[in-house]
Structure formats: C-alpha cells, structure tokens
Amino acid sequence: MSKGETYAQAAVREAEEELGITQPLEELATSLGGEEYPHMQHLFGLYTCIADPSWKFIPNDEVEVIFSMTIEAILQAMIDEPEERFTRGFRITMAEYIRVKGK
C-alpha cells in the first residue's frame, strides 16, 4: 500500500501490476488478523474477482509464476506443511477467507 491509498485502491493497483488483472474487485473483508494470532498484527484487505476468460498471466518483476490450486488443495497443504509452504500472513488471510466465504 502506498501512503494515502485506500485498501481498495491498493488492491486494484496491485492486481494490475502483479497479475495484469483489470476486472472489478469485490471486497470480502478488511481485518486485523484473528484471535488465533494475538501475538501478530496483520492488517489486510481481502478481495476477489473473476478474471476475464481472455486473461493470460505475464511474468513480471514482482511475480514470476502462478499456478492453479483448489481451495481444498490449499487447505490440505496448509495442514500438511503449514510453515514450509505458507507465510504466517498468508495463513491468517486464508483463515479470514474461509470465515467470510463459509468454506
């Protein structure tokens, strides 16, 4: 996030810079971590969108590669190898996504 930017503005900018996505974003939540993480403040905005069918990822300075995983596969990987594969911030964010989406 840049100084003076809202979470929504930052999300739109980052989606375009990092992924080349220009479709509208839907805000799911803005959160300060969770009760299960009292020792860490992780303030974040969580957004979703459906990319245009013609969208193609182009590697760039910020993101070299992306790959598709189902939510179920991500959750299983978080059980099997939580600290080896996922940052604490990602785990907090994913927990909020699950809470909001009811998965």
Side-chain angles (χ1 to χ4, degrees):
M1 243 174 101
S2 297
K3 184 178 181 179
E5 235 179 358
T6 66
Y7 280 105
Q9 291 167 332
V12 168
R13 180 180 52 76
E14 291 288 341
E16 185 169 2
E17 286 177 8
E18 296 180 3
L19 301 171
I21 291 176
T22 57
Q23 283 71 41
L25 303 180
E26 174 190 353
E27 182 177 343
L28 297 179
T30 301
S31 180
L32 179 59
E35 293 178 11
E36 64 275 21
Y37 301 97
H39 58 284
M40 179 182 178
Q41 292 187 354
H42 182 75
L43 186 60
F44 60 91
L46 183 58
Y47 296 81
T48 187
C49 81
I50 297 174
D52 187 273
S54 65
W55 171 80
K56 299 285 186 240
F57 172 70
I58 299 171
N60 56 71
D61 292 341
E62 296 190 52
V63 181
E64 293 178 8
V65 65
I66 63 172
F67 55 93
S68 179
M69 289 179 75
T70 64
I71 296 295
E72 293 76 17
I74 294 169
L75 294 175
Q76 188 60 54
M78 289 174 67
I79 292 168
D80 295 342
E81 303 176 281
E83 296 190 19
E84 293 85 358
R85 295 186 63 187
F86 303 97
T87 65
R88 182 178 301 242
F90 180 86
R91 294 190 313 264
I92 293 169
T93 303
M94 192 61 174
E96 181 67 6
Y97 175 84
I98 297 303
R99 185 190 72 73
V100 169
K101 295 296 269 186
K103 298 272 182 188

